Structures are given as C-alpha cells and as structure tokens.
Amino acid sequence: MNTVWANRSQLHDDLTTVGGLREFLGVPADEADLEAFLALRRALRDLAGVLTEDTRPIAQDRDLRRAVAEVNRAARSAPRWPQLTVHDGELLRHNESEGSLADRERALIAAEAVELFTGQDRVLLRACHAPGCVLYFVKDHPRREWCSPSCGNRARAARHYRRNRG
C-alpha cells in the first residue's frame, strides 16, 4: 500500500515503471506484472481506507467490491502449499508455489493483506493524518499517532505554527 508516499513537495509513486517494480520485488517482472501490482495496490488502499474510515482526499472514490475481487484474484494467482524437507536430520517446513516469481510475490502480499484486514490487528490499522501524508500504518504502541517520526514532527510543527501564527 505504501509504495505511494508524499514528502513536503509532492506525491511519489515507486511503481511507475517495470524497473521500479523489479527493484521493489527483487525478482524479474514485466509490464503485465506492473499492471497486476498496481491493481492490487489500489485494492489494498481502498480496503485500508474503508477499514480506517479514511477521510483524506487520496482515499476517496473507493470501490469495495472491486477491491475484494482484486485481492482474491491476486491471492490465487500463485497457489502455495506446505512441503516437508529434511536438513541435517531435522524436519523443516518449506512452501512450494506455482506461477512466476512476480505472481508468487503478489499472491504472498495479497495473503498477508487478507490476514491484516481480517485478523486481530485490523483494529490497529490507521491512516496517517500528518500534513500531506498518504500512508497507512499499524498502531503498535498506544501513543503512536503517525506512520513515522518525521510525520510526527511535521504534525507537531504544523500545530505549533497554527497556535503561534494565528
């Protein structure tokens, strides 16, 4: 979800090119993979927006049915199953999977998203409301209010400016 991010001056997108996707995944990818990952990212951001009741402009125009269908499509794009292996006389679990490396990564991300959106941590998912931020985060500490320390600093600076500059 957070391959779209903002700094003080503009919105950035780490997945604008196939090269950017390859760098993000660390595996070979092509144009079709880029389109599939962009569809999955949009779906994940839509679902996060619904769960967090996100009111930021970037989180508007959500389509819940399309998002659910896309996550399900991605999750089944590379079926996985557990296998046993033996290493130094010890039984270990190994996951086998079908599909290209990019499909495997997309399916893994989708499966992790299903766990996040339906698991116990779903109530901890938050939209960062620091000025200009477009990220989501899991509130892993009771006092955490922003996705990063820099967003917290930006929010405190903006609040200080409003109080002291009218």
Short mmCIF file of all heavy atoms in Angstrom, two decimals, residues 2-36:
data_model
loop_
_atom_site.label_atom_id
_atom_site.label_comp_id
_atom_site.label_asym_id
_atom_site.label_seq_id
_atom_site.Cartn_x
_atom_site.Cartn_y
_atom_site.Cartn_z
N ASN A 2 1.97 1.19 0.68
CA ASN A 2 2.76 2.39 0.90
C ASN A 2 3.86 2.59 -0.13
O ASN A 2 4.85 3.27 0.14
CB ASN A 2 3.33 2.38 2.32
CG ASN A 2 2.24 2.59 3.35
OD1 ASN A 2 1.16 3.08 3.03
ND2 ASN A 2 2.52 2.23 4.59
N THR A 3 3.66 2.07 -1.35
CA THR A 3 4.57 2.41 -2.44
C THR A 3 4.17 3.73 -3.07
O THR A 3 4.83 4.22 -3.97
CB THR A 3 4.61 1.31 -3.52
OG1 THR A 3 3.29 1.05 -3.98
CG2 THR A 3 5.24 0.03 -2.98
N VAL A 4 3.08 4.32 -2.58
CA VAL A 4 2.71 5.70 -2.87
C VAL A 4 3.00 6.46 -1.58
O VAL A 4 2.54 6.06 -0.52
CB VAL A 4 1.21 5.84 -3.22
CG1 VAL A 4 0.81 7.29 -3.33
CG2 VAL A 4 0.89 5.11 -4.49
N TRP A 5 3.76 7.52 -1.67
CA TRP A 5 4.12 8.28 -0.48
C TRP A 5 4.32 9.74 -0.85
O TRP A 5 4.40 10.08 -2.02
CB TRP A 5 5.36 7.69 0.19
CG TRP A 5 6.54 7.52 -0.72
CD1 TRP A 5 6.75 6.51 -1.61
CD2 TRP A 5 7.64 8.41 -0.86
NE1 TRP A 5 7.92 6.70 -2.28
CE2 TRP A 5 8.50 7.86 -1.84
CE3 TRP A 5 8.01 9.59 -0.25
CZ2 TRP A 5 9.68 8.47 -2.21
CZ3 TRP A 5 9.19 10.20 -0.62
CH2 TRP A 5 10.02 9.63 -1.60
N ALA A 6 4.36 10.58 0.14
CA ALA A 6 4.48 12.02 -0.11
C ALA A 6 5.59 12.59 0.75
O ALA A 6 5.85 12.12 1.85
CB ALA A 6 3.17 12.72 0.20
N ASN A 7 6.22 13.63 0.22
CA ASN A 7 7.10 14.44 1.04
C ASN A 7 6.52 15.85 1.04
O ASN A 7 5.39 16.05 0.62
CB ASN A 7 8.55 14.39 0.57
CG ASN A 7 8.75 14.93 -0.83
OD1 ASN A 7 7.86 15.54 -1.42
ND2 ASN A 7 9.91 14.68 -1.40
N ARG A 8 7.26 16.80 1.48
CA ARG A 8 6.71 18.16 1.59
C ARG A 8 6.28 18.77 0.27
O ARG A 8 5.42 19.62 0.22
CB ARG A 8 7.74 19.08 2.24
CG ARG A 8 8.00 18.74 3.66
CD ARG A 8 9.00 19.65 4.26
NE ARG A 8 9.27 19.24 5.62
CZ ARG A 8 9.98 19.92 6.45
NH1 ARG A 8 10.50 21.06 6.10
NH2 ARG A 8 10.18 19.46 7.66
N SER A 9 6.90 18.32 -0.82
CA SER A 9 6.63 18.99 -2.08
C SER A 9 5.74 18.23 -3.05
O SER A 9 5.10 18.84 -3.89
CB SER A 9 7.96 19.33 -2.77
OG SER A 9 8.68 18.13 -3.05
N GLN A 10 5.69 16.91 -2.96
CA GLN A 10 4.93 16.18 -3.97
C GLN A 10 4.61 14.75 -3.55
O GLN A 10 5.17 14.24 -2.60
CB GLN A 10 5.67 16.15 -5.30
CG GLN A 10 6.97 15.37 -5.26
CD GLN A 10 7.72 15.48 -6.57
OE1 GLN A 10 7.64 16.48 -7.26
NE2 GLN A 10 8.46 14.45 -6.91
N LEU A 11 3.73 14.14 -4.34
CA LEU A 11 3.36 12.74 -4.16
C LEU A 11 4.32 11.91 -5.01
O LEU A 11 4.64 12.28 -6.14
CB LEU A 11 1.92 12.55 -4.65
CG LEU A 11 1.24 11.24 -4.35
CD1 LEU A 11 1.05 11.07 -2.85
CD2 LEU A 11 -0.11 11.20 -5.04
N HIS A 12 4.79 10.79 -4.45
CA HIS A 12 5.72 9.91 -5.16
C HIS A 12 5.08 8.55 -5.34
O HIS A 12 4.27 8.12 -4.53
CB HIS A 12 7.02 9.74 -4.36
CG HIS A 12 7.75 11.02 -4.15
ND1 HIS A 12 8.64 11.52 -5.06
CD2 HIS A 12 7.70 11.91 -3.14
CE1 HIS A 12 9.13 12.66 -4.61
NE2 HIS A 12 8.56 12.92 -3.45
N ASP A 13 5.49 7.86 -6.39
CA ASP A 13 4.99 6.53 -6.69
C ASP A 13 6.18 5.65 -7.07
O ASP A 13 6.84 5.91 -8.07
CB ASP A 13 3.98 6.59 -7.84
CG ASP A 13 3.31 5.28 -8.12
OD1 ASP A 13 3.80 4.23 -7.65
OD2 ASP A 13 2.28 5.29 -8.82
N ASP A 14 6.47 4.66 -6.25
CA ASP A 14 7.61 3.78 -6.51
C ASP A 14 7.33 2.76 -7.61
O ASP A 14 8.24 2.06 -8.04
CB ASP A 14 7.99 3.02 -5.24
CG ASP A 14 8.60 3.94 -4.18
OD1 ASP A 14 9.10 5.02 -4.54
OD2 ASP A 14 8.57 3.55 -3.00
N LEU A 15 6.08 2.66 -8.07
CA LEU A 15 5.73 1.65 -9.07
C LEU A 15 5.25 2.27 -10.39
O LEU A 15 4.25 1.87 -10.95
CB LEU A 15 4.64 0.72 -8.52
CG LEU A 15 4.99 -0.05 -7.26
CD1 LEU A 15 3.85 -0.96 -6.85
CD2 LEU A 15 6.27 -0.84 -7.42
N THR A 16 5.97 3.24 -10.88
CA THR A 16 5.58 3.85 -12.15
C THR A 16 6.17 3.14 -13.36
O THR A 16 5.70 3.31 -14.48
CB THR A 16 5.99 5.34 -12.22
OG1 THR A 16 7.40 5.43 -12.01
CG2 THR A 16 5.25 6.15 -11.17
N THR A 17 7.20 2.33 -13.13
CA THR A 17 7.86 1.62 -14.22
C THR A 17 8.07 0.15 -13.84
O THR A 17 8.04 -0.20 -12.66
CB THR A 17 9.24 2.23 -14.55
OG1 THR A 17 10.10 2.03 -13.42
CG2 THR A 17 9.13 3.71 -14.88
N VAL A 18 8.31 -0.66 -14.85
CA VAL A 18 8.64 -2.07 -14.61
C VAL A 18 9.92 -2.15 -13.79
O VAL A 18 10.04 -2.98 -12.88
CB VAL A 18 8.75 -2.84 -15.94
CG1 VAL A 18 9.27 -4.25 -15.70
CG2 VAL A 18 7.41 -2.88 -16.66
N GLY A 19 10.87 -1.28 -14.06
CA GLY A 19 12.11 -1.26 -13.29
C GLY A 19 11.87 -0.97 -11.81
O GLY A 19 12.51 -1.56 -10.94
N GLY A 20 10.95 -0.06 -11.54
CA GLY A 20 10.60 0.23 -10.15
C GLY A 20 9.98 -0.98 -9.47
O GLY A 20 10.25 -1.25 -8.29
N LEU A 21 9.14 -1.72 -10.20
CA LEU A 21 8.54 -2.93 -9.64
C LEU A 21 9.62 -3.98 -9.39
O LEU A 21 9.64 -4.62 -8.34
CB LEU A 21 7.46 -3.49 -10.58
CG LEU A 21 6.82 -4.80 -10.13
CD1 LEU A 21 6.10 -4.64 -8.78
CD2 LEU A 21 5.86 -5.31 -11.20
N ARG A 22 10.53 -4.15 -10.35
CA ARG A 22 11.62 -5.11 -10.16
C ARG A 22 12.45 -4.76 -8.92
O ARG A 22 12.83 -5.64 -8.15
CB ARG A 22 12.52 -5.13 -11.39
CG ARG A 22 11.92 -5.82 -12.57
CD ARG A 22 12.91 -5.85 -13.73
NE ARG A 22 12.24 -6.25 -14.94
CZ ARG A 22 12.39 -5.65 -16.12
NH1 ARG A 22 13.20 -4.62 -16.25
NH2 ARG A 22 11.72 -6.08 -17.16
N GLU A 23 12.73 -3.48 -8.75
CA GLU A 23 13.51 -3.05 -7.58
C GLU A 23 12.74 -3.32 -6.29
O GLU A 23 13.31 -3.78 -5.30
CB GLU A 23 13.82 -1.56 -7.70
CG GLU A 23 14.74 -1.05 -6.63
CD GLU A 23 15.10 0.40 -6.85
OE1 GLU A 23 15.30 0.81 -8.00
OE2 GLU A 23 15.17 1.13 -5.83
N PHE A 24 11.45 -3.06 -6.29
CA PHE A 24 10.61 -3.28 -5.11
C PHE A 24 10.55 -4.77 -4.76
O PHE A 24 10.68 -5.15 -3.60
CB PHE A 24 9.21 -2.72 -5.35
CG PHE A 24 8.21 -3.05 -4.28
CD1 PHE A 24 8.29 -2.47 -3.03
CD2 PHE A 24 7.19 -3.97 -4.52
CE1 PHE A 24 7.37 -2.78 -2.04
CE2 PHE A 24 6.27 -4.29 -3.54
CZ PHE A 24 6.36 -3.69 -2.29
N LEU A 25 10.35 -5.62 -5.77
CA LEU A 25 10.18 -7.06 -5.53
C LEU A 25 11.50 -7.81 -5.38
O LEU A 25 11.57 -8.79 -4.66
CB LEU A 25 9.41 -7.70 -6.68
CG LEU A 25 7.97 -7.29 -6.88
CD1 LEU A 25 7.41 -7.96 -8.12
CD2 LEU A 25 7.14 -7.61 -5.66
N GLY A 26 12.50 -7.37 -6.12
CA GLY A 26 13.76 -8.12 -6.15
C GLY A 26 13.68 -9.36 -7.01
O GLY A 26 14.50 -10.27 -6.87
N VAL A 27 12.70 -9.42 -7.90
CA VAL A 27 12.54 -10.55 -8.82
C VAL A 27 12.19 -10.01 -10.21
O VAL A 27 11.76 -8.86 -10.33
CB VAL A 27 11.43 -11.54 -8.36
CG1 VAL A 27 11.76 -12.11 -6.99
CG2 VAL A 27 10.07 -10.90 -8.36
N PRO A 28 12.37 -10.82 -11.26
CA PRO A 28 12.01 -10.37 -12.61
C PRO A 28 10.51 -10.03 -12.69
O PRO A 28 9.68 -10.66 -12.05
CB PRO A 28 12.33 -11.57 -13.49
CG PRO A 28 13.30 -12.39 -12.70
CD PRO A 28 12.95 -12.16 -11.26
N ALA A 29 10.20 -9.01 -13.49
CA ALA A 29 8.80 -8.59 -13.69
C ALA A 29 8.69 -7.97 -15.07
O ALA A 29 9.66 -7.51 -15.64
CB ALA A 29 8.39 -7.59 -12.61
N ASP A 30 7.45 -7.95 -15.59
CA ASP A 30 7.20 -7.33 -16.89
C ASP A 30 6.02 -6.36 -16.78
O ASP A 30 5.50 -6.12 -15.69
CB ASP A 30 6.98 -8.39 -17.97
CG ASP A 30 5.78 -9.30 -17.69
OD1 ASP A 30 4.88 -8.91 -16.91
OD2 ASP A 30 5.75 -10.41 -18.25
N GLU A 31 5.60 -5.84 -17.90
CA GLU A 31 4.52 -4.84 -17.93
C GLU A 31 3.20 -5.40 -17.37
O GLU A 31 2.48 -4.71 -16.65
CB GLU A 31 4.31 -4.34 -19.36
CG GLU A 31 3.44 -3.11 -19.47
CD GLU A 31 4.07 -1.87 -18.86
OE1 GLU A 31 5.29 -1.67 -18.98
OE2 GLU A 31 3.31 -1.07 -18.25
N ALA A 32 2.90 -6.66 -17.68
CA ALA A 32 1.68 -7.28 -17.15
C ALA A 32 1.75 -7.39 -15.63
O ALA A 32 0.74 -7.18 -14.94
CB ALA A 32 1.46 -8.65 -17.78
N ASP A 33 2.92 -7.70 -15.11
CA ASP A 33 3.10 -7.77 -13.66
C ASP A 33 2.88 -6.39 -13.03
O ASP A 33 2.25 -6.28 -11.99
CB ASP A 33 4.49 -8.28 -13.29
CG ASP A 33 4.72 -9.72 -13.71
OD1 ASP A 33 3.77 -10.52 -13.61
OD2 ASP A 33 5.84 -10.03 -14.14
N LEU A 34 3.41 -5.36 -13.68
CA LEU A 34 3.23 -4.00 -13.17
C LEU A 34 1.74 -3.64 -13.09
O LEU A 34 1.28 -3.14 -12.07
CB LEU A 34 3.98 -2.99 -14.04
CG LEU A 34 3.83 -1.52 -13.62
CD1 LEU A 34 4.37 -1.29 -12.21
CD2 LEU A 34 4.55 -0.62 -14.63
N GLU A 35 1.00 -3.94 -14.15
CA GLU A 35 -0.44 -3.67 -14.14
C GLU A 35 -1.15 -4.44 -13.02
O GLU A 35 -2.01 -3.90 -12.33
CB GLU A 35 -1.06 -4.03 -15.49
CG GLU A 35 -0.68 -3.07 -16.60
CD GLU A 35 -1.26 -3.49 -17.94
OE1 GLU A 35 -2.34 -4.12 -17.95
OE2 GLU A 35 -0.63 -3.17 -18.97
N ALA A 36 -0.75 -5.70 -12.81
CA ALA A 36 -1.36 -6.52 -11.77
C ALA A 36 -1.03 -5.97 -10.39
O ALA A 36 -1.90 -5.92 -9.51
CB ALA A 36 -0.89 -7.96 -11.89
#
